Amino acid sequence: MEDINYIKHLNGAFGKFAKDGRLNPTHISLYMALFQLWNYKLFRESFHVDREEAMDMAKIGSKSTYHRCIKELSHWGYILYSPSHNPFKGSKIKMFDFGTSNGQPMDPNRTDNGTSNGQVMVSNNKPIQTPKNKKKHFKQKKDGFSALETVDKQKGSVPNQDNLTTGRDKDYNEPL
């Protein structure tokens, strides 16, 4: 079993995908299916793959598309594909490491992937600052409760865009 970090490997693979203009969504889908099968095999150096299972996971409906994509992935250096021509054995696949484990990186231009070994803690209680909510402030009400009040409401180019605006003095007994 190799020392592969699942998230770091995916980040490295997607970084490589972004730079490669030859790939289409079918190639990426097939690679992701093969990566998942590799994960099921506990990241062994090589593993055998059943074509039907890989096609089903990658949502590929054509055998010719599958064979074209897997051969291209192998030719372009994403995997090493050795066809078995035996339907009971399955083809042999070797997945390459994209510089995400302790081993030698495959891409010489990328030796540091910029990630740490720890988990990043992100606060999720900070509101997203938008031009609309930057201009709001708290104002003390007579009853002691505070509420948001808009200081400067932005006006769009179309007045009453939704025509459903209501006020505090709305008489709900009036017909619409």
Side-chain angles (χ1 to χ4, degrees):
M1 180 166 69
E2 291 188 34
D3 184 25
I4 300 293
N5 183 310
Y6 190 93
I7 300 298
K8 288 182 180 181
H9 183 87
L10 283 180
N11 287 337
F14 278 113
K16 197 165 168 102
F17 294 160
K19 295 175 186 174
D20 194 344
R22 302 170 294 187
L23 296 171
N24 65 36
T26 309
H27 292 103
I28 296 171
S29 176
L30 180 57
Y31 182 87
M32 296 309 297
L34 293 173
F35 179 74
Q36 189 64 27
L37 291 169
W38 188 35
N39 181 32
Y40 292 159
K41 303 290 184 176
L42 303 175
F43 299 113
R44 291 185 190 143
E45 186 174 338
S46 63
F47 62 98
H48 293 277
V49 65
D50 176 44
R51 182 190 70 228
E52 294 296 325
E53 183 180 18
M55 286 176 62
D56 186 49
M57 288 178 77
K59 305 297 186 218
I60 297 174
S62 167
K63 291 178 188 176
S64 61
T65 300
Y66 169 81
H67 287 291
R68 177 182 52 84
C69 288
I70 201 163
K71 287 175 185 176
E72 288 174 343
L73 285 173
S74 181
H75 180 70
W76 296 334
Y78 289 93
I79 62 171
L80 182 62
Y81 169 66
S82 303
S84 71
H85 306 291
N86 181 350
F88 300 105
K89 187 175 181 183
S91 298
K92 189 175 180 180
I93 303 289
K94 179 178 180 184
M95 304 288 284
F96 293 124
D97 180 13
F98 295 118
T100 57
S101 71
N102 295 333
Q104 179 68 27
M106 294 301 293
D107 187 357
N109 297 328
R110 183 176 178 152
T111 56
D112 182 23
N113 58 10
T115 59
S116 66
N117 292 331
Q119 183 175 358
V120 177
M121 298 300 289
V122 178
S123 172
N124 62 356
N125 60 358
K126 183 177 179 183
I128 298 172
Q129 295 294 319
T130 63
K132 189 174 183 179
N133 69 3
K134 276 186 179 179
K135 298 193 177 202
K136 292 182 179 179
H137 70 281
F138 286 99
K139 187 174 182 180
Q140 191 69 25
K141 292 277 190 172
K142 291 179 187 177
D143 57 3
F145 295 104
S146 57
L148 287 175
E149 298 235 350
T150 305
V151 173
D152 224 1
K153 197 169 188 178
Q154 293 180 350
K155 293 185 179 183
S157 60
V158 179
N160 298 330
Q161 289 179 354
D162 60 0
N163 292 326
L164 296 175
T165 57
T166 59
R168 291 191 175 125
D169 57 343
K170 172 74 175 164
D171 184 9
Y172 289 99
N173 292 327
E174 290 180 11
L176 294 176

